[in-house]
Amino acid sequence: MAKSTNMITLLFTALILITVAIIFIIVNSITSNSFVLLILIWIIVFVFTILIKSQIVADERDINNTDITNILQSSLLTVFVIIGSSLFSINYISIIGRAFENTVGYWWVDNDSLSEITQKLFSTDDNEKYNLNLIITQLFSDEKREQFDNYLKNIPFKHIKYEFADYDKENTELPINQLYEKVVQKYKISKASLISLATIITMYVCYMPMKYPWINN
């Protein structure tokens, strides 16, 4: 290997961190559409893998068409298998998506802002003190308001009182709409986290044959 192992490893680590940051920005600020995410992540992995390969061979030669073809094939395969299966799990195997929502996602939104919202919306019918923020673990929405409303009608907590009449869903000042935004945020954070883990594995799978070139040496 032309470049030192430490330098290449440092570059790889930096690119992983940049990729994770990009994924969180895309999911939370641009789009959470699964197909669009799949294509964008493939482009990122493809470009970053070329960058790593070019540094590995920099002192010996320029990166060539064969290298690019190999990277194209490996990145396309790994992204569509690993990222694709992860997105499928999030969208169609609810237990996986819900598990991330109520761990990573809940940890992210469980703050004073959420407490203020839940205290305005819910009350108890006894003298016990409850963590009302936990109610959000029973509310889900992948950016579909109807889904959120259906879960809201069937909250399974005892001793919790709430009543929601028809309300203006466009009024961002209403606590119920603020709660909905928190539920969507919980979903997006969990989705970005799971995709980030899958992307790290994908980049590692693309990286190892370049570090130890037993394939297409």
Side-chain angles (χ1 to χ4, degrees), residues 145 167-178 181:
R145 192 57 181 260
Y167 57 90
D168 181 5
K169 295 180 180 180
E170 302 299 323
N171 185 353
T172 58
E173 298 300 319
L174 290 178
I176 186 62
N177 291 327
Q178 294 171 351
E181 293 301 323

Side-chain angles (χ1 to χ4, degrees), residues 68-86:
I68 295 175
T69 300
N70 291 337
I71 291 171
L72 175 65
Q73 293 172 346
S74 63
S75 63
L76 191 64
L77 178 63
T78 52
V79 165
F80 276 80
V81 170
I82 300 175
I83 306 298
S85 60
S86 298

Side-chain angles (χ1 to χ4, degrees), residues 4 10-11 15-16 29 68 72 91 93 98 101-102 107 123 146 160 177-178 183 188:
S4 70
L10 183 62
L11 174 62
L15 292 178
I16 283 180
S29 303
I68 295 175
L72 175 65
N91 294 329
I93 306 176
R98 300 295 186 251
E101 280 194 56
N102 285 339
W107 172 80
S123 60
E146 182 179 355
I160 301 296
N177 291 327
Q178 294 171 351
V183 172
K188 288 184 175 181

Side-chain angles (χ1 to χ4, degrees), residues 44-85:
I44 292 170
V45 171
F46 176 62
V47 172
F48 282 0
T49 305
I50 287 178
L51 179 59
I52 294 172
K53 180 67 176 183
S54 66
Q55 292 302 307
I56 290 175
V57 302
D59 292 340
E60 299 174 355
R61 59 180 176 82
D62 293 331
I63 190 169
N64 55 40
N65 291 335
T66 300
D67 295 324
I68 295 175
T69 300
N70 291 337
I71 291 171
L72 175 65
Q73 293 172 346
S74 63
S75 63
L76 191 64
L77 178 63
T78 52
V79 165
F80 276 80
V81 170
I82 300 175
I83 306 298
S85 60

Side-chain angles (χ1 to χ4, degrees), residues 181-201:
E181 293 301 323
K182 288 288 186 181
V183 172
V184 172
Q185 185 182 23
K186 177 169 69 87
Y187 164 74
K188 288 184 175 181
I189 291 297
S190 65
K191 186 171 186 175
S193 300
L194 184 55
I195 294 173
S196 294
L197 289 175
T199 303
I200 291 172
I201 295 172

